Amino acid sequence: MKLSTKVAELTNIIAPAVAACDVSLWGIEFAPQGRRSLLRIYIEALPEEQAQDKHVTIEDCAAVNHQVSGILEVHDPIAGEYILEVSSPGFDRAFFSDEQMHAYVGQTVSLRLIQAIGTGDQKRRKATGTLDSIDDKVLKLTSSDGEQFEIALSNIDKANLVYEDA
């Protein structure tokens, strides 16, 4: 889950503006789409607010949208027109860095891989299961049928939390 050069540049520009709104930056998606690109910013309540069971509100999203719009006008990092969206990462949140997954050990995650894992006819590029552990190089996952996987972090294209209604 490496950031593209453009997303890294946008993160450096946007992060201080998000922090000024008393929320934290969860991640950024940038999708160039011809003449009109999409910039999606995910924000999260600060850890101390999460501990008090506070969540991102519509007002938080509007404040970040306003703040980031001004910063983007000054820096002008996106050529052409773009749509700016600001939201919370939601229950089925995408992970934008390996570090974000550490807080979700013991929960179910869904992975899309760069290269297939497994042997013979059992090769797969998708894996879903309980996140057993994660370190700086690999994560360990147990599928619902008990199959265990050790997956290199460098082989993960996309990772999401799987929402399970309790």
Side-chain angles (χ1 to χ4, degrees):
M1 291 184 299
K2 296 193 182 344
L3 296 179
S4 72
T5 305
K6 187 60 155 182
V7 169
E9 174 192 1
L10 289 167
T11 300
N12 289 335
I13 293 168
I14 291 169
V18 171
C21 296
D22 293 327
V23 293
S24 63
L25 179 63
W26 180 260
I28 294 175
E29 291 177 350
F30 177 67
Q33 300 171 343
R35 293 191 321 215
R36 180 173 285 172
S37 300
L38 173 64
L39 175 60
R40 187 173 290 132
I41 300 171
Y42 295 99
I43 59 173
E44 182 84 320
L46 296 173
E48 57 271 15
E49 291 180 352
Q50 289 177 10
Q52 298 170 11
D53 207 25
K54 292 185 180 175
H55 304 284
V56 169
T57 65
I58 292 266
E59 291 78 15
D60 293 328
C61 293
V64 169
N65 189 307
H66 179 75
Q67 188 80 4
V68 168
S69 291
I71 294 294
L72 292 175
E73 278 192 37
V74 170
H75 290 277
D76 199 23
I78 302 171
E81 296 179 27
Y82 62 91
I83 297 169
L84 174 62
E85 293 181 4
V86 179
S87 73
S88 87
F91 291 122
D92 59 346
R93 61 191 54 219
F95 295 109
F96 292 89
S97 71
D98 307 331
E99 294 80 26
Q100 290 174 327
M101 287 193 276
H102 287 272
Y104 296 90
V105 170
Q107 296 188 41
T108 304
V109 295
S110 175
L111 307 175
R112 185 174 69 201
L113 307 175
I114 297 167
Q115 295 180 350
I117 58 170
T119 57
D121 292 340
Q122 300 299 320
K123 287 191 174 256
R124 60 173 78 183
R125 288 195 55 215
K126 292 183 179 181
T128 300
T130 302
L131 179 59
D132 297 320
S133 66
I134 182 170
D135 62 29
D136 60 342
K137 296 203 188 279
V138 301
L139 66 74
K140 293 181 182 176
L141 191 74
T142 302
S143 69
S144 60
D145 62 1
E147 191 173 2
Q148 295 184 323
F149 299 96
E150 189 170 295
I151 301 168
L153 297 178
S154 61
N155 191 27
I156 299 173
D157 182 39
K158 186 174 183 178
N160 286 75
L161 183 66
V162 175
Y163 175 69
E164 297 174 336
D165 192 12

